[in-house]
Amino acid sequence: FDRELMVLATDGPLRPSRRLTWDAARDTHALYDPSGLGVVWSRTTLVGRALRAPIRLGHGSLTLGRGDVLARGGFAAVRPLAWSADARAFAFASGSGSFESASLTDLASGSSRVLPAASAFDASVSFSADGSLLARAERAAEGATRVWLGDTGAAPSEIALGAELAAWGAPAGIALAPDGSNNSSYIPDDSEIVSQYFD
């Protein structure tokens, strides 16, 4: 139950991973924040929270600075899904098992909207490089896939995948190209990549 965050540098010679958290909480699902200088992650104790903290260098080691709470889940766990590059929109999932939900919060205004529960899985949300576009994958009925694209602050439109493509299986994740022109969805066995181009 006591999981910790580790970081592994891949530039230059291979070095051992370094530990970032040192407490009895369950620390999981880490992402770099939009600056690349901090980490956002899920911390579960008696309550669930999504935290953000800067990475600091000190005496040859790495540590995390003071953590700020980005989302609270009460007694349920909270998992970061994605954070837009403009640092404004933050998507996260909360709950457990079949009771998970997903939300999108505007960190500038404090407003929040609920996303369909079918998108409450890791890597289900992706943003364009400027944060203006949001792509979202859904696990639809009978193991099918649905993909949505639109302005981050508005209702999205469903992308017509076609019956054959949608029936490949439930998505395992989605990635939007930086300019928003290309979307890739991954089916569960990761053996195929589904690409849909947008005008």
Side-chain angles (χ1 to χ4, degrees):
F1 293 99
D2 181 13
R3 298 183 180 179
E4 306 294 353
L5 300 186
M6 311 288 286
V7 64
L8 178 66
T10 58
D11 57 329
L14 184 63
R15 298 185 295 272
S17 59
R18 299 163 94 172
R19 189 169 171 175
L20 292 179
T21 54
W22 300 82
D23 52 53
R26 178 180 291 191
D27 296 306
T28 60
H29 296 87
L31 305 170
Y32 278 106
D33 70 11
S35 72
L37 303 176
V39 173
V40 57
W41 77 99
S42 172
R43 170 167 283 176
T44 305
T45 52
L46 290 178
V47 296
R49 294 163 291 167
L51 300 177
R52 185 267 171 191
I55 299 175
R56 295 186 172 156
L57 295 171
H59 305 290
S61 67
L62 295 176
T63 61
L64 291 178
R66 186 177 68 86
D68 297 316
V69 177
L70 295 180
R72 300 176 189 276
F75 292 115
V78 175
R79 294 191 335 274
L81 299 178
W83 197 350
S84 63
D86 63 358
R88 181 162 183 157
F90 178 64
F92 63 94
S94 59
S96 60
S98 60
F99 299 100
E100 286 194 316
S101 62
S103 299
L104 181 68
T105 297
D106 185 321
L107 296 175
S109 68
S111 63
S112 183
R113 77 174 195 263
V114 175
L115 300 175
S119 289
F121 62 92
D122 295 347
S124 63
V125 175
S126 182
F127 295 95
S128 60
D130 63 0
S132 64
L133 290 176
L134 179 148
R136 180 171 52 80
E138 279 187 16
R139 291 175 172 166
E142 298 179 4
T145 293
R146 297 176 77 182
V147 175
W148 302 78
L149 177 72
D151 293 339
T152 299
S157 299
E158 186 173 3
I159 301 303
L161 297 178
E164 183 180 355
L165 199 57
W168 275 12
I174 189 167
L176 189 63
D179 63 0
S181 64
N182 185 18
N183 158 69
S184 296
S185 295
Y186 302 92
I187 64 173
D189 65 5
D190 292 327
S191 64
E192 300 277 351
I193 297 178
V194 183
S195 294
Q196 175 72 41
Y197 291 88
F198 308 113
D199 295 333

